[in-house]
Amino acid sequence: MEKTIIIDGKEVRLKSTAGTPMRYKAQFGKDYLGEVMKLYQIAQKIGLKPEGLSEEQSLKLLESIDFEVFYNIVWVLAKTANKEIKPPLDWLDEFEEFPLVDILPEIQDLIASTIQTKKK
């Protein structure tokens, strides 16, 4: 599955294939499915309405989120679509803004396509 999203005003092609989990493990040394589960937890935490939380609760929420997982997953989806992109830190440096709340819903279907079954 492939799609193009806008990050910081730039079109970014993302792709998910059977090789995406292996590419993730090769780059980051971590299990893709385990990291996706962390991303799911991030999504649930962000789903909480910040205005409904006290300042202390909001800070604790932010402290509990491992943003590295999010950046790594977006990078591997971009790398799967374009083998020429730079290593993760160099690639991320190309963006002044990387809005997690906007990007996360955009990549959900790409992640799901890698881990879901087609069994009926």
Side-chain angles (χ1 to χ4, degrees), residues 86-97:
K86 297 176 182 177
L89 287 176
D90 295 332
W91 182 71
L92 287 166
D93 280 342
E94 294 176 2
F95 303 96
E96 289 192 30
E97 295 179 358

Side-chain angles (χ1 to χ4, degrees), residues 116-120:
Q116 71 189 22
T117 182
K118 291 193 178 203
K119 260 183 157 177
K120 294 186 178 189

Side-chain angles (χ1 to χ4, degrees), residues 77-89:
L77 293 171
K79 184 69 170 181
T80 302
N82 176 3
K83 307 292 185 269
E84 304 300 316
I85 70 164
K86 297 176 182 177
L89 287 176

Side-chain angles (χ1 to χ4, degrees), residues 4-71:
T4 300
I5 66 171
I6 305 297
I7 302 174
D8 193 28
K10 300 172 185 166
E11 285 190 359
V12 178
R13 223 173 84 225
L14 304 174
K15 186 175 182 179
S16 182
T17 69
T20 303
M22 297 301 290
R23 182 171 289 107
Y24 190 92
K25 179 126 182 156
Q27 178 67 37
F28 301 109
K30 298 177 182 173
D31 178 64
Y32 181 74
L33 184 56
E35 297 293 273
V36 166
M37 296 313 293
K38 288 180 187 176
L39 189 62
Y40 175 73
Q41 291 172 343
I42 291 171
Q44 286 195 320
K45 289 177 182 180
I46 290 175
L48 295 172
K49 301 234 183 290
E51 64 272 3
L53 300 176
S54 70
E55 187 174 333
E56 183 179 335
Q57 290 170 320
S58 292
L59 287 173
K60 283 186 181 195
L61 173 63
L62 285 174
E63 288 172 0
S64 72
I65 295 174
D66 183 359
F67 288 101
E68 182 181 2
V69 171
F70 171 76
Y71 294 121

